[in-house]
Amino acid sequence: MPSARRFGIVDVAVREVAWIWRDKVALLLVVGIPLIAFAILAATFSNAVIRDLRVDVVDQDRSKTSETFVQAISSAPGVNVARRSSDLSQAMHAVRSGEAIAAVYIPDNLERDIAQGSRPQLVIFFNKQFFTPGNIASSSLQAAVSAGVADLRADQSSAAFRPGPLVVEQYVLTNPALNYAQFLLRAILPTVLHIVIAISGGYAVGSEFASRNMREWFATAGDNMLIALVGKFAPYFGIFLVIMAIGLGIIHGLFEIPFRGDPVLVGASACLLIIAYLSLGALLQLLVRNLALGLSLTGIICSPAFGFAGVGFPVLAMSMFARGWGAILPLRWYIQILFDQAARGVPAADSARPFMMLGGLAVVYFGLAWLRLRAVARRPLRKLGETQQTDRPGRIGIVRAFTEEYRRVIRDSSVLGLIVLAPIIYGLFYPQPYLRQLIKDIPIAIVDDDSSDVSRTIIQAVDADEAVKVALRPTTLAEAQAALARRDVFGILSIPAGTEREILKGDQARLPAYVDSAYFLLYNRTLQGIQEGVGAVATDLAARSARPDGSLYRAALAKSSPVEILNQPLFNPTGGYGSYIVPAAFLLILQQTLLMGSATLSGVTYEQGGRNARRRRGTVSAVIGQSLAHLALALPGFALFLVVLPRIYGFSASGHVLDLIVLAIPFILSVSLLGQFIGSWFKRRETAVLLIIAISLPIFFLVGVAWPLEAIPPVLRTASFMLPSTSGIDGLVRINQMGATLADVSKDWMRLWVLTGVYAILAVGAARIASGRRVSDAR
């Protein structure tokens, strides 16, 4: 006698595991995509110490002294003298075209002016539009030039007056080696995974509407909706928990980054993150009861979450809307717990608030999904049969293909949303965390053990700097450190007893500064504010001891620093984070939405017309016509992102509109053709969104804007040129934000046309191959 069914969680979970195994797209989504993304990111950041950034040196003096500076730059580990331009115009062309990330200008008569005590200016120009590479190059060049200045001082006798200097001693907390892999990988791996989790949760539930049997799901659960939801989530929970552990293994095992906090708390937080995003993905599907639309909504909510999580740009500098939106995203709280525990090693009690917020969101989203599932069960959606539409017979030409494709997009709400509407939504939504551009008033603590006029002046000067504000005045360093662990402050300046006495004696006075480097932008800005405030006091003290005409001060300054080093940022002079990240991200959004839309159309065509429709779609004239239709549909979004929104948001934008259009045409065409090639292997419209939406972040770091090209392994760098985004983002950002011309980015332009031709051939060939054989039903 057969055993009675248990109607339990195990039955539902077994049913789901069997479906995942049969549906190859689900298996690839749940296991393959995150592991592939982890592998790409781990390889991308395998060079944690960035070296050999290409710089250009313009030596107008050509003296023994100037050669000393050139040798110092060549010896610096972070940079490499790749060019020796004859004038500044050539050097600027090299920076605009990407041949160098920075340029050093050594003026004429440098050696003579140093001998006369005139303090000549040596200028470092660095590309601030490419934020991370530019800042690293700037720091390396400043250190190299300062080393050259120190060599000059060592050769000079120094019997003249020198005021006692104030020196900020930097103590880097959390990540003392300033390891970029530690900072970025810890945030990016869970960010990629959270998108996959939400999409998987949505696909698991939405597929019941589209291609599976919802009544069977309910029956397996004994019509208990709580059992139905928990049983469906159980396999995904187990799989993603293992993948989360793999991500932590990459960070702490492969990269040997120390783990400093409570592993139980981090593990519990990971469980809550998985539950929250499985529930959120399922909830969106249950609300719209349309698989394609639900997946699109999930992508719109989850894809920009990295910006709202406060990793790159800190939460304290965001607008109220960005803070509020970020607060309802589980990733925001998980990242805070992860950084506090794994990186900063703070007491577990200090992570109680974000843990409660994360737990609350998990309960709320799961509860809403359960309530909505109960409502759907009472009013089940009638499953609609797929309508088979046979395309009109006859030879299809370019004009007809263009017309049919254009109409197909306009009539299909999901595809219209991907290609036309999604860029508008992203354009309004994505920049919100970054609109304030600069970080101001970062709270710090100052421990004043000197209690002198000088110490009070230092406190006033540091508090007056726009980057920081003195939020706490604890009496002991231990109190300040406890406030740092609680995130009440992000830096500590200590003024030791006897500081004023050391200055009056003419001796060096050391001021220890403890700065948390868990978040690099906060770290750099906090240290900058402290150094600027202390530097202003040091300058003022030296000026007070000088003669009324300033001659003694100038003489002392020339002795202590015979060369004035100017650090000049290019193309993004204010250092606005939004001006750096948003233009490149806009172009990646254009690529991803058009890529998904183009590939989705192939699935739509197969759903409606089968293999014959796919065969007609793969003719040469059809491929060309469809690409031109995609070009016409994508150009308005392109104009919005590169012409309209930069001016609304206050980002830099050049007037080279014609150059932008000329470069945009092969970029859009190559993306369209790549989508047609990929979509030729899909039988369902949703497959494109499922497999493409989670790869945005890995692709972004291969471009070279956020992560230096010199730090990317050569094999991976070469492979990245197969994607239009690598050449498209590089070229379009250089034209629009850096004032380059089409001639400056001619290599990018030619690569895009090559990709256009290659993907056109592949799209035609793939359509014929796929339509000529039976494709797996799992697709």
Side-chain angles (χ1 to χ4, degrees), residues 301-317:
I301 291 173
C302 294
S303 293
F306 183 76
F308 291 92
V311 179
F313 197 71
V315 175
L316 63 87

Side-chain angles (χ1 to χ4, degrees), residues 21 67 186 189 196 249 407 411 414 421 471 492 510 526 551 563 621 695 697-698 742 744 748:
W21 185 254
E67 192 60 32
R186 182 173 279 125
L189 294 186
V196 177
R407 289 175 178 172
R411 293 171 180 173
S414 61
L421 300 181
I492 303 168
R510 301 177 182 273
T526 303
S551 60
V563 176
S621 56
I695 62 173
L697 272 178
L742 189 63
D744 293 326
D748 291 322

Side-chain angles (χ1 to χ4, degrees), residues 2 12-13 65 68 77 115 161 165 261 323 404 421 477-478 512 558 647 713:
V12 179
T65 301
T68 299
F161 167 78
R323 292 188 194 186
E404 289 183 358
L421 300 181
L477 192 59
R647 288 163 174 81

Side-chain angles (χ1 to χ4, degrees), residues 210 378 546 567 596:
R378 288 194 295 266
N567 211 32
M596 289 187 291

Side-chain angles (χ1 to χ4, degrees), residues 208-212 288-290 380-388 607:
E208 300 285 359
F209 295 111
S211 59
R212 298 166 73 187
V288 300
R289 297 201 289 185
N290 180 295
L381 182 69
R382 183 173 62 89
K383 192 167 182 178
L384 300 176
E386 293 182 357
T387 58
Q388 294 290 326
E607 287 179 352

